[in-house]
Amino acid sequence: IYDVNKNSKPHRIQYDDGDSEWTNLCQRTWVLKSKDQLKADTRVEVWWPVEKKSYAGTLTEIDASKSLPHNVEYDDGGSEWTDLYHRRFEIIEIPKESSSTISQVQPSSDDELIANTRVIVWCPSKKKHNLGTLTKTNGEWDLPHRIEYDDGSSEWTYLNYRRFKIVEKANETSSTTSQVQRPSDVQLKVNTRVMVWWPLENKSYPGTLTKIDTKR
């Protein structure tokens, strides 16, 4: 892992919506945007810039031979072939037979998900993230994770099939948590596709890392 001064801004991001910025990904929440993450039957929300809103639908087919490889059938009856990797979109739900490691979902092992772990979990019914504490785990249950949210609500759920991030690991006081993905020389190169979290807007935006200047 290379060392970047926390006050520097060595990474130039060109976002798909036309905006750009110099930033320090070492101090931001971000994930790599891999083409292996999207599979047929994945539920997605796709941003339509002209209408300035997102529409939910299902990714029904992927044809890598096409310039627009993703066929999305929307819940309102519409459909389109598009390239989701050049659109603003979020994954709502993954196919049960696929991996739980997806864009904007925190890859985790059972060793990480232990009592007193602080997490932030996407609640689709409320259309927002809820901050809470993983208070209990029971590997024999279908919903093995007990979350007590800061707003007073609670639930048993299966985090491996939910969109969530670990905010603070149990018994860990370091400021370096898995909420911030630390870049390595292998990961961060020019033309790397990334999803960057914007906390004030409470959402992530896709873009391309176009320049790296460690002297900034």
Side-chain angles (χ1 to χ4, degrees):
I1 297 177
Y2 60 84
D3 185 25
V4 176
N5 186 292
K6 68 179 181 180
N7 295 317
S8 68
K9 295 183 178 180
H11 306 122
R12 175 74 170 180
I13 308 296
Q14 183 71 44
Y15 292 102
D16 293 356
D17 61 7
D19 290 337
S20 62
E21 68 167 337
W22 283 97
T23 188
N24 187 342
L25 289 177
C26 297
Q27 305 297 321
R28 300 284 295 277
T29 301
W30 64 279
V31 293
L32 291 172
K33 211 174 177 190
S34 167
K35 292 190 176 182
D36 295 331
Q37 292 164 348
L38 283 177
K39 301 178 184 296
D41 298 324
T42 299
R43 293 280 295 161
V44 293
E45 273 191 355
V46 184
W47 175 257
W48 285 63
V50 175
E51 301 181 29
K52 294 184 177 180
K53 64 185 298 185
S54 294
Y55 291 94
T58 302
L59 175 60
T60 58
E61 188 177 351
I62 300 174
D63 187 344
S65 66
K66 295 183 176 182
S67 60
L68 302 175
H70 305 120
N71 187 33
V72 180
E73 295 193 3
Y74 293 99
D75 295 354
D76 63 4
S79 64
E80 68 168 335
W81 283 94
T82 187
D83 186 348
L84 288 175
Y85 292 103
H86 289 87
R87 299 282 295 276
R88 279 170 52 185
F89 78 98
E90 292 187 15
I91 293 175
I92 303 171
E93 184 179 351
I94 60 173
K96 290 185 178 181
E97 68 274 13
S98 68
S99 169
S100 63
T101 304
I102 61 171
S103 177
Q104 296 177 295
V105 171
Q106 177 68 42
S108 300
S109 69
D110 290 337
D111 292 336
E112 290 178 305
L113 291 175
I114 59 176
N116 298 320
T117 298
R118 293 283 289 165
V119 293
I120 186 167
V121 184
W122 174 254
C123 297
S125 61
K126 298 179 181 179
K127 294 186 177 179
K128 69 174 186 178
H129 292 85
N130 270 7
L131 189 65
T133 302
L134 173 62
T135 57
K136 297 179 183 178
T137 62
N138 189 332
E140 297 180 356
W141 292 6
D142 292 337
L143 301 175
H145 305 123
R146 173 73 172 180
I147 311 295
E148 305 245 348
Y149 294 105
D150 293 358
D151 63 5
S153 61
S154 62
E155 68 171 331
W156 283 96
T157 187
Y158 188 15
L159 286 174
N160 299 75
Y161 287 98
R162 297 284 296 276
R163 284 169 47 195
F164 81 100
K165 294 184 180 75
I166 293 176
V167 178
E168 184 178 352
K169 294 181 181 180
N171 300 321
E172 181 177 85
T173 58
S174 170
S175 60
T176 305
T177 70
S178 58
Q179 187 180 1
V180 177
Q181 184 167 351
R182 295 294 176 180
S184 69
D185 289 328
V186 175
Q187 291 175 329
L188 278 184
K189 298 179 180 179
V190 171
N191 295 325
T192 297
R193 293 284 290 165
V194 294
M195 290 282 292
V196 183
W197 177 255
W198 285 67
L200 292 180
E201 300 183 27
N202 198 32
K203 66 191 308 181
S204 296
Y205 289 98
T208 302
L209 176 60
T210 58
K211 296 180 182 179
I212 300 175
D213 183 355
T214 58
K215 296 179 181 179
R216 286 182 60 86

